[in-house]
Amino acid sequence: MVSKNTICLWYDGTALDAAKFYAETFPDSAVHAVHRAPGDYPAGQEGDVLTVEFTVMGIPCLGLNGGSAFKHSEAFSFQVATDDQAETDRLWDAIVGNGGQESACGWCKDKWGLSWQITPRVLTAAFTDPDRAAAKRAFEAMMDMTKIDIAKIEAAWRG
């Protein structure tokens, strides 16, 4: 990759599977290169997939098959701004339906443990509204959700 800054994501032997899933699920995403280990290493053997170069929505990433020593946490997530309920549902359902798990307030994890925030643009507009009472209503509605329901956010926002 030619990018000067690349996100490196640690996997336990599943970097290629994850990269392929992201490429199939998210627009402007692709797997670019697969690099195999030139020799044995602590988490694998010569010839195993060591790294995978890919993009997720235009963001350059490197998947490293480093073994089981480290796990993903909510301290890092991809936040995806969606335009409507159909896009929100499609991405949420793809992640959760592929072995992932739901969390709160638009967050979910994929089956590799990577966190995603599937965030409709209307939600951001609602809780950054200068009308603080309207923003609070939308924010409080969000706090009771797993996947974001845009109609409920808009109804709370309007009052």
Side-chain angles (χ1 to χ4, degrees), residues 72-90:
H72 296 290
S73 82
E74 289 80 0
F76 175 88
S77 64
F78 281 105
Q79 185 179 53
V80 182
T82 56
D83 293 322
D84 55 32
Q85 192 67 52
E87 183 181 22
T88 301
D89 292 347
R90 184 184 72 77

Side-chain angles (χ1 to χ4, degrees), residues 1 3 5 7 26-30 32 54-61 78:
M1 290 188 175
S3 178
N5 187 9
I7 295 171
F26 298 99
D28 194 23
S29 301
H32 302 289
F54 60 100
T55 52
V56 176
M57 296 172 287
I59 299 171
C61 298
F78 281 105

Side-chain angles (χ1 to χ4, degrees), residues 21 91-103 108-110:
F21 173 76
L91 295 177
W92 179 275
D93 295 346
I95 293 167
V96 172
N98 188 45
Q101 60 186 152
E102 296 181 345
S103 190
C108 57
K109 282 187 186 180
D110 64 29

Side-chain angles (χ1 to χ4, degrees), residues 123-138:
L123 174 62
T124 303
F127 70 70
T128 60
D129 189 319
D131 177 343
R132 300 319 295 156
K136 184 177 181 183
R137 289 190 305 270

Side-chain angles (χ1 to χ4, degrees), residues 96-146:
V96 172
N98 188 45
Q101 60 186 152
E102 296 181 345
S103 190
C105 305
W107 288 63
C108 57
K109 282 187 186 180
D110 64 29
K111 73 178 182 180
W112 301 279
L114 190 62
S115 291
W116 297 83
Q117 297 176 61
I118 308 302
T119 309
R121 293 180 195 278
V122 70
L123 174 62
T124 303
F127 70 70
T128 60
D129 189 319
D131 177 343
R132 300 319 295 156
K136 184 177 181 183
R137 289 190 305 270
F139 183 80
E140 288 174 347
M142 175 203 67
M143 294 300 293
D144 290 332
M145 297 179 185
T146 51

Side-chain angles (χ1 to χ4, degrees), residues 10-25:
W10 186 285
Y11 294 90
D12 186 8
T14 57
L16 182 56
D17 292 338
K20 286 179 179 178
F21 173 76
Y22 305 147
E24 294 168 359
T25 303

